[in-house]
Amino acid sequence: MDRGDNPSAAICGLCGEAFTLPEDEVDGNLPHVLLCGHIYCTSCLLSIECDSTIRCPDCEPADIEKTERAVDEALVRAAENHALLENIHETLKTGLEEQVKSDRARLEIEIKQAADKALHAIQKWKDVQLSQLSKLEARFSTSQAELSCIQERIKSLGIAMQMAREVRRVPFLEKYCTLDKVLETLQAPVDKQFFDMECITMGSGLSLCKFPPKGDQPGKSNRKSSWQRAETGNSNNISPSHSKPPSPQKQDQGSPRANRSSPQASSPSPRPRQRLNLSNHSSSPDHRTPDVIVEEIIDEGKGPAHPPTGPELANDKWRTQRKRKNLNQMTGNKRNVTQWVVVTHILNPSHFYVRYVAEKRESELLSKRINHFCCRESCHFTSCDRVETGSVIFVKQREGLWCRASVVAVTQSGCAESVKVCPVSQLASIRVFFIDFGQTRSFTIQSEDGSSESSLKTVNNHLRKVCEFVHAELDRFAPQAIRCSFKDLVPYDLSKGWSEQAQVEFRSVVGSAAVEMRPLGQDRDSLLVDLRKAPMDQSSDVPISIREYLVFIEVARFYSPVSLGRKPLSYYSPVYPKINEEANAVVSHINSPADFYIQLVDSMESLLLSAKLQECYNATTVSEEDDLKVYCPVIEQAYVARFEDKLWYRAQVIGHPGGRKVEVRYVDFGNKRILSVSDLRKIKDEFFALPSMAIQCCLSDVRPVDGESWTEACTNRFISLAHQKLVTIVATEPVLKMKPLPVKLFESGLNGPLANISELLVKEELACFKEELKSKNSRPAGDDSAIWDPPLDLDSAPEGVSTPDQNTSIEQNEEPVEFQPQLILPAQLKDLKVRVSHVNSPSSFYVQLSQYDSQLKRMCELVRKECALMEPDDDAVWKADMYCAAQINGVWERGQICTDVTSSKIAEVLRCDHGNKVKVHVSNLRTLPSYMIGSLTLECTLTDIRPAGGRSTWTATACDLISYYLTGASAVMTIKELTDDRPQPVILFCSNRTGQFVSIADFLASEGLALRERKPRSGSGDADDQKPKEANAQSPVRVTQTGGPDGDKKNTPSACNLLPIPHQSSLVCHPTHPKPAPRIIMSAEKVKTQLYQPPELPCLGHIQISVSAIGEDGIIYARTQDAECQLEPLRERIQQSMKTLPRQKPYTWKSVLGCAVIGSDMLWYRGQLLEVLGGHVKVQYVDHGLVENIPVVHVYPMLLCDDVPQLCMPCQLHSINPVGSRWHLDAVALLKELLLNRFVDMQVMELPSDPRGPLAVEIFLDGMSLSQIVCHHEYASMERPVPAQKGHGMINPPPLLDDWDFDTEGLRDSEEPMLGPFMYPNLPQEGEHFKVRVKHLWTPNELFLWPLEGAGDVKVDGETLDEALTRINEDINSLPRLSSFPHGSPCLAEYSDGQYYRAKLIRITSVEPVKILVQHVDFGSDDTLPLSKLRQMPTELLGFPSRALKVKVAGFKAPNVKTEEGMLPYSPGWSVKATMAMMDLLHSNITASVVTQEPELTVLLYNENEELVHLSLVSRGLAELA
């Protein structure tokens, strides 16, 4: 079938025949598909078959070479891809390991922190449970009740005995007390069976689980502990009982009143500051209806007796139970039985009424109930009702206020006398007693027309009846007014009774304020109490006793001795001078030669105190002056008193002469005065810090001529010689603090002490010497052979003369040496021969006493014998402070481990017998026997000097110099004062080249490496003027001579000059030598304190901080906002806990860490002891970070508020290295100028492993990094660049920085905006080739380039960078000049063609004239320009990416062998020839591929032939392969 038969049949593409199927015996023309995809028929395939191979006629023959080349290229590409995959695999593997490592470290820290928190919680739960044991005493309520009952019985019996004695002594007092009750109390028998003695055998019944309940936090459990549940279960509720209020008749019989039960029955006393305003005056009658006349009964003793509500309440069962309950509670809490009350009504000091402040809520509830009842019709009087004496009714006290009252007297119309019962309609007048206020008032009923209805209406306007159900409702409310009387107080004039002035003064001092009531007993009709008015200033004021105040103003007096309930506040005793030592003083007051007062002049504290007193008390306001006024001075109490010169001084009350006068003694001067009480003021706490300045003295060596009293002439002469003059005193013997100090008094001159004032008085026959002094002076010469300063044993001593030291050594050599493992100082502490073994600084060096040389040799031999045969113990654990034997340089010595030995097996050991520290392997350590533990060296410090230059530590020059001269040298040492504290203060002398002994302290001062401490003595007679170098070489310190007055002044010790010798003849006749006083060695108290809790560290991220201090090491001390809020409450809590100064004692400061410091502002602070520097210590204020050197007397080894963590945390700049590895003083000054007392934004980068360690932080000032500022001033360098903020535009400063409200309008131009960094284009992926253009060449392998592909002209606001620059250059003068120059800040800089281009600031190259180095960011070149060629860059130019990228070319480096002569000056490794050759190579078409982008952009450069550019330089020897 051909195609004509079937036009739609498929045909062969080669021959055009149609494809047919085979039919019968005819073969078909079938289609066949070749491998290439073409289809041909069977005929065509047979025709093109050749050698059994069919080739497709449509396909051309393949190029074999091209195929092979394609395969090779594919293999090369595959190899590169394989290498890249391996690199990626290695990167991912390394990153995974780092991730695992960092997460492991983080999780370990979190696990450790969680464990620490759990341990802390358990410890806190333990502390809480232990603290509950303090309440265990309250569990024994039965024993407490019995004990309280017996105490009350003893107290009442003692009061009765005292009152009986006073009545026996003054029978007239019988009318002011109840004698029969006193006799009854005295004669009451004591029956032992009446008391329950079995209560002491009962247990508490408490038990405690081993662990807290599940789900509860230790210390914060919401469940009650076992003893708390027991207390709840055993609590007793007072059941109410209902009874009618008693009538006056029943009161006379002493019937008890109703008990009550209310929520306030056991409520504690309120705070002292609470005030309750209760009116004590009755409201005036209604002028529109003057039907009732109200009278208040005040007169005492006239008319019918008042209702005895006092005994009713005093004997009331409810009051008694309530009092006992409160007493048990307060006894369990160890508090005084006191209540806060308000005085509601006063008749006289022996008859007044009070109300408990604690019952205020109950009183308000009672008043509401009464007002509610009075509004009912059932409480209105009817014509059938009657008023009965003794009944309880409601009375309108003022409009809207109804009160309970007891009817005292009733008058019926038409009757002149009072009646017991009267109908309401016939009521003429009624007198009632307000049982809740204590007042008595009379009401006169006046009706308008005289009818019964009118009278009834008038009565109901002011009176209401109490129904039975209302009476039952009010039975549980006991009367609120308590009748009281001042204990042991009677009128000033017993014959006249209480005066009206007593009532007025009592009411004025009490007022309406709450006062403290102290029950002192109970009489038949009153509670015997004392009232104390709350002080205005709780920190320093003393509560005012109303009893003592009334006695002081002479309106009352005591009729029995009264003991004060508290000890008055007194000043510290004065600091006495040392025995047999000279001291300069001023005689402030003289009564006689046996009674005068002096002030030591060793400091300016007295002047500062006086100035502070005047400033504080003269600048007080009216309200402050009222708070400081004194109403009732207390004997021996400390006050501030005004003198005749109108100035304020510290004083002490010593007597009450009467007439509102007081006798005071001025504690800083010694004189006494009688002043008015208006010249006294209460003293504030800060004036208690200093002890009394005036020291009471007497002349020790003279007595009156007549042996009894001093004549007026002698006293006047003594005053003319010494009063208000500078004198020299010498204390001769110690005495008790309350007795005069015996002293010798000398007139003071420029050259030291002059005449003895005692001798002058004796010479003028105004006094005579004591007998013992005469007998001492009459002793023959040579009897007293005591020598104050024994001669020093020196090599230069004359031959044949044996000194005491030599004799002592000879005697010691004759006897066997006793083994002493520990250094024991000799009794003679002067001129000790020593050898300096090791020197750390002038404040820490070690000496060996020469007399212990034999002991040292013997000790070394014993240690060698003991340890030579020992085997090393590999399992031994060496801890800090353990003693050991160490083999050092082949010699066995005693040592002490300094720190715990870790896995490194290297131990730091202190050589006990030498003082220095060495590091040895643990294999060279042995256990030291206990009998060998000790040290034969003494750690010392030089006294009277301090580091020069205001530094707290010694400079390296001073340490090296003293170490060079002293290490291994022999010296002479004098210990000034022996204490247990180390280092020991000493004076050290060494011989110079000429053989003269020189003070090391003087030598350091002369070299300018040290400064002398301020001396307590003034004048030129100090011991410093008597330099040892002026003495003969035979005496390095001082030599005792008797060669005459001149020689005495120069060569005798200062103690020998205590008795001036008038002329030389007396030396020959009476050669007396003063004996040294017995040495008093004060042992230092060993005390140990812990550090304060570490600060609470913030989380990572941005926070606001307040910088409080900058350390010399660059550490920044800051407080968070939460810590700032805690600072002021903590300061107040510390001041309240420290009312007075603790007693100062010598302490061992080595184990003291946390301490309490009293600052220069006389306030207490928490501190940490850092270093002991002789008489000073270096402390750090833990809540402020400040470090100071302060005298040791201002530091106390105690912790203040140790439950509060440190508020100040140390911080350090992250990844910042100071120049020279230490912060320069200028850098620290810059940090202080920028940060101190400012709120700044801080980003916490890293938290320290040690909670006390510094945080790694970044600090920003107005958006600028502090690290960049410090690096800009070249004080430090960065380990890594500060991360720039992404994006572009202006950088917004962080909020809440310094909030200064300054109005700067019109004062300056608009601020220059701070622009962000430039943008950079996106580069292709690593390994991908892209075309670039080299913009600038720095070195052959450092250059600036620009990618040409994918970085076409970017348009911003429709214009390109070139168009924008052209537009800006046309009006360049309109742009302002630069005013700030931060590093990397964008700007516009003028190029050599006169056009401005984008640039960034690099650094300031010169100041005069100012020139700045800039870098053109679109070209890469640098230029140094003046300010006139720089402009502020518009913000829109930041939208264009930078056109010059700085890259490093990989694959080659500068040659190690320099064969070329011309080298680049800024990069000496590269030659000029190599640079020029590289420039030639880069002129062609260059392509690049990125190798890496971190830490810097690194690329490979290829030429047109796809060859590496640098291979040409390598082949020419201008570079080397990297």
Side-chain angles (χ1 to χ4, degrees), residues 816-822 849-862 894 913 936:
V817 179
E818 181 183 357
F819 175 70
Q820 295 180 359
Q822 184 66 34
L849 272 66
S850 299
Q851 63 188 68
Y852 276 80
D853 287 347
S854 58
Q855 293 285 350
L856 184 60
K857 294 179 181 178
R858 183 177 179 184
M859 178 57 65
C860 294
E861 188 67 18
L862 288 176
R894 294 187 299 175
D913 300 323
L936 293 179

Side-chain angles (χ1 to χ4, degrees), residues 97-150:
E97 292 176 353
E98 292 295 331
Q99 284 182 334
V100 172
K101 182 178 179 181
S102 61
D103 275 19
R104 183 186 299 276
R106 177 180 58 81
L107 291 175
E108 289 177 354
I109 293 175
E110 292 179 357
I111 292 172
K112 184 178 180 181
Q113 291 177 351
D116 293 342
K117 289 182 179 179
L119 293 176
H120 177 71
I122 294 174
Q123 183 64 31
K124 190 171 182 180
W125 175 85
K126 176 184 175 183
D127 296 340
V128 170
Q129 301 306 319
L130 292 178
S131 66
Q132 296 293 332
L133 297 182
S134 61
K135 304 178 181 178
L136 187 61
E137 189 176 355
R139 291 290 305 155
F140 302 94
S141 58
T142 306
S143 302
Q144 291 286 349
E146 293 296 329
L147 184 62
S148 301
C149 182
I150 295 175

Side-chain angles (χ1 to χ4, degrees), residues 392-458:
V392 177
I393 61 175
F394 294 139
V395 181
K396 186 196 298 185
Q397 190 178 28
R398 62 176 182 267
E399 192 65 32
L401 179 62
W402 292 83
C403 302
R404 294 185 298 176
S406 176
V407 179
V408 177
V410 178
T411 304
Q412 188 174 356
S413 299
C415 298
E417 300 294 334
S418 60
V419 296
K420 185 176 182 181
V421 180
C422 175
V424 175
S425 58
Q426 300 179 11
L427 189 64
S429 66
I430 186 172
R431 189 150 57 94
V432 297
F433 175 75
F434 291 94
I435 61 178
D436 295 324
F437 295 94
Q439 299 167 331
T440 301
R441 294 180 183 175
S442 294
F443 296 85
T444 301
I445 309 300
Q446 295 179 352
S447 60
E448 296 179 356
D449 52 2
S451 61
S452 300
E453 292 78 6
S454 177
S455 298
L456 188 61
K457 181 179 180 182
T458 302

Side-chain angles (χ1 to χ4, degrees), residues 619-828:
T620 55
T621 61
V622 176
S623 60
E624 291 175 347
E625 187 174 1
D626 292 340
D627 296 343
L628 295 175
K629 282 185 178 180
V630 178
Y631 296 95
C632 182
V634 181
I635 300 295
E636 296 183 359
Q637 175 71 33
Y639 295 100
V640 175
R642 184 160 43 197
F643 193 56
E644 299 170 354
D645 55 1
K646 304 301 180 183
L647 298 180
W648 298 95
Y649 302 97
R650 298 193 300 173
Q652 185 179 27
V653 174
I654 60 176
H656 288 161
R660 302 211 66 177
K661 300 285 185 181
V662 290
E663 185 179 6
V664 300
R665 179 175 64 86
Y666 295 95
V667 296
D668 297 326
F669 299 91
N671 54 325
K672 302 176 183 178
R673 284 291 186 278
I674 296 178
L675 308 172
S676 172
V677 71
S678 61
D679 290 331
L680 283 184
R681 294 292 184 270
K682 300 171 185 177
I683 188 169
K684 296 185 177 180
D685 277 349
E686 59 261 33
F687 300 116
F688 276 107
L690 294 178
S692 303
M693 299 291 184
I695 303 175
Q696 187 179 11
C697 303
C698 65
L699 294 180
S700 61
D701 48 0
V702 293
R703 60 177 176 83
V705 175
D706 57 0
E708 296 181 358
S709 61
W710 295 94
T711 63
E712 184 177 356
C714 180
T715 302
N716 293 336
R717 177 57 176 161
F718 184 43
I719 292 175
S720 64
L721 291 174
H723 188 238
Q724 297 297 332
K725 294 182 180 180
L726 182 66
V727 296
T728 301
I729 63 105
V730 177
T732 57
E733 59 180 292
V735 293
L736 298 177
K737 293 293 184 181
M738 302 304 295
K739 293 186 177 181
L741 177 68
V743 297
K744 294 180 180 180
L745 220 59
F746 302 90
E747 292 181 336
S748 183
L750 296 178
N751 296 324
L754 300 178
N756 189 337
I757 293 181
S758 299
E759 293 182 359
L760 293 178
L761 295 178
V762 172
K763 185 177 181 180
E764 297 178 8
E765 298 181 355
L766 298 174
C768 60
F769 287 112
K770 294 181 179 179
E771 295 299 330
E772 57 271 19
L773 184 63
K774 289 184 177 180
S775 61
K776 186 184 295 185
N777 292 338
S778 60
R779 292 171 61 184
D783 291 349
D784 188 2
S785 59
I787 299 177
W788 182 262
D789 282 330
L792 185 65
D793 181 16
L794 299 175
D795 296 338
S796 58
E799 297 181 1
V801 180
S802 62
T803 61
D805 286 350
Q806 292 174 343
N807 295 336
T808 303
S809 62
I810 293 173
E811 294 174 1
Q812 291 177 354
N813 292 334
E814 293 175 356
E815 297 179 0
V817 179
E818 181 183 357
F819 175 70
Q820 295 180 359
Q822 184 66 34
L823 176 67
I824 301 177
L825 294 176
Q828 175 58 255

Side-chain angles (χ1 to χ4, degrees), residues 1140-1206:
T1140 57
L1141 287 176
R1143 185 178 178 182
Q1144 186 66 40
K1145 301 177 182 179
Y1147 301 105
T1148 56
W1149 294 100
K1150 277 195 171 182
S1151 56
V1152 175
L1153 298 176
C1155 59
V1157 183
I1158 182 169
S1160 57
D1161 54 358
M1162 306 304 290
L1163 297 179
W1164 287 95
Y1165 297 93
R1166 303 194 301 173
Q1168 177 182 345
L1169 190 67
L1170 301 180
E1171 186 179 0
V1172 180
L1173 306 171
H1176 288 68
V1177 291
K1178 184 178 181 180
V1179 297
Q1180 183 177 37
Y1181 299 90
V1182 297
D1183 299 321
H1184 301 269
L1186 184 65
V1187 178
E1188 283 187 350
N1189 290 340
I1190 59 177
V1192 71
V1193 296
H1194 293 171
V1195 182
Y1196 295 88
M1198 57 188 298
L1199 298 181
L1200 302 177
C1201 302
D1202 53 351
D1203 57 325
V1204 180
Q1206 300 180 19

Side-chain angles (χ1 to χ4, degrees), residues 836 838-842 956-969 1004:
V836 181
H838 179 67
V839 177
N840 294 323
S841 69
T957 304
C959 298
D960 294 342
L961 184 66
I962 189 175
S963 177
Y964 174 78
Y965 281 107
L966 289 186
T967 303
L1004 291 176

